[in-house]
Amino acid sequence: LAGVRLLGSVENEKHELLVRIANNKMFLNRKAGIRAMPRPVCKVDLALVGNSIYQNEAAGVRVENNTRLTAEGNQIHDNDGAGIMVHESVIPPELDIYRNRISFNNGEGIQIINGITGRIGISNNWIYGNYLSGIGIGLFYSPISKLDNIKIMNNTVVSNGSGYEGSGIRSDSEG
């Protein structure tokens, strides 16, 4: 299902996973290169540093529920879906995504259905050539969450979107 999949093991067991994935190549995985999907009672603190994540079927990186994602210095490109997908969650993920190259994904570069940003937010990324939006917040034409509190600062967002739809930065959220 994924190159790396992180989830809680027992339904009601409370625990926290601290995971650092650095300097790897993750490609040609069925669902995602990396997927964090803990149960709401669990927490995953996931740091991705210096990885090359490409040609995965659903997304390069997918996080949901009680996940804190720190992504720095990664190259995330040519995935069939979004480069980074933050999925609809009971507990919105916390995101710090900075100094990454996110390009040529078949969906958005970064898609956040619901989530919040941490101290750094989404900053200093180079986001270009993605089929839909460079950064997409909420679901197209269907706002589902008022929990989005996203800080987007100092990014270079170039040449995203297609004749179909998309833009550099798009928000369909009520947040």
Side-chain angles (χ1 to χ4, degrees):
L1 295 175
V4 175
R5 189 172 77 161
L6 307 166
L7 67 155
S9 57
V10 178
E11 190 161 326
N12 293 321
E13 179 183 332
K14 293 182 180 183
H15 62 273
E16 182 172 349
L17 294 173
L18 302 174
V19 179
R20 178 180 167 93
I21 300 173
N23 303 315
N24 295 285
K25 291 183 181 181
M26 299 192 191
F27 58 98
L28 298 177
N29 294 291
R30 178 87 183 197
K31 291 287 183 185
I34 299 167
R35 186 172 183 187
M37 45 190 269
R39 291 179 177 81
V41 296
C42 302
K43 180 175 176 138
V44 172
D45 191 338
L46 174 60
L48 304 177
V49 180
N51 297 289
S52 185
I53 303 167
Y54 57 97
Q55 295 178 351
N56 296 289
E57 283 191 25
V61 177
R62 178 177 166 162
V63 297
E64 56 191 81
N65 282 331
N66 199 4
T67 300
R68 182 181 187 321
L69 172 64
T70 303
E72 176 187 9
N74 299 286
Q75 293 190 29
I76 302 170
H77 59 91
D78 296 297
N79 294 288
D80 282 347
I84 298 175
M85 157 65 86
V86 183
H87 207 269
E88 182 178 1
S89 302
V90 174
I91 300 172
E94 182 180 334
L95 311 167
D96 284 312
I97 301 169
Y98 57 102
R99 295 189 207 132
N100 299 285
R101 284 183 170 248
I102 303 170
S103 59
F104 303 113
N105 295 289
N106 205 25
E108 289 83 7
I110 301 172
Q111 182 179 14
I112 303 169
I113 295 177
N114 75 334
I116 58 174
T117 48
R119 186 178 55 83
I120 298 170
I122 300 172
S123 62
N124 299 306
N125 296 290
W126 185 332
I127 303 169
Y128 60 96
N130 296 288
Y131 185 72
L132 294 176
S133 298
I135 301 171
I137 301 176
L139 285 174
F140 289 135
Y141 307 114
S142 178
I144 60 163
S145 173
K146 295 183 180 182
L147 299 174
D148 292 330
N149 185 3
I150 307 299
K151 296 178 216 165
I152 301 171
M153 306 161 289
N154 301 319
N155 296 283
T156 301
V157 182
V158 178
S159 207
N160 296 283
S162 64
Y164 173 65
E165 68 179 291
S167 59
I169 299 173
R170 178 177 176 153
S171 178
D172 287 320
S173 170
E174 291 182 3

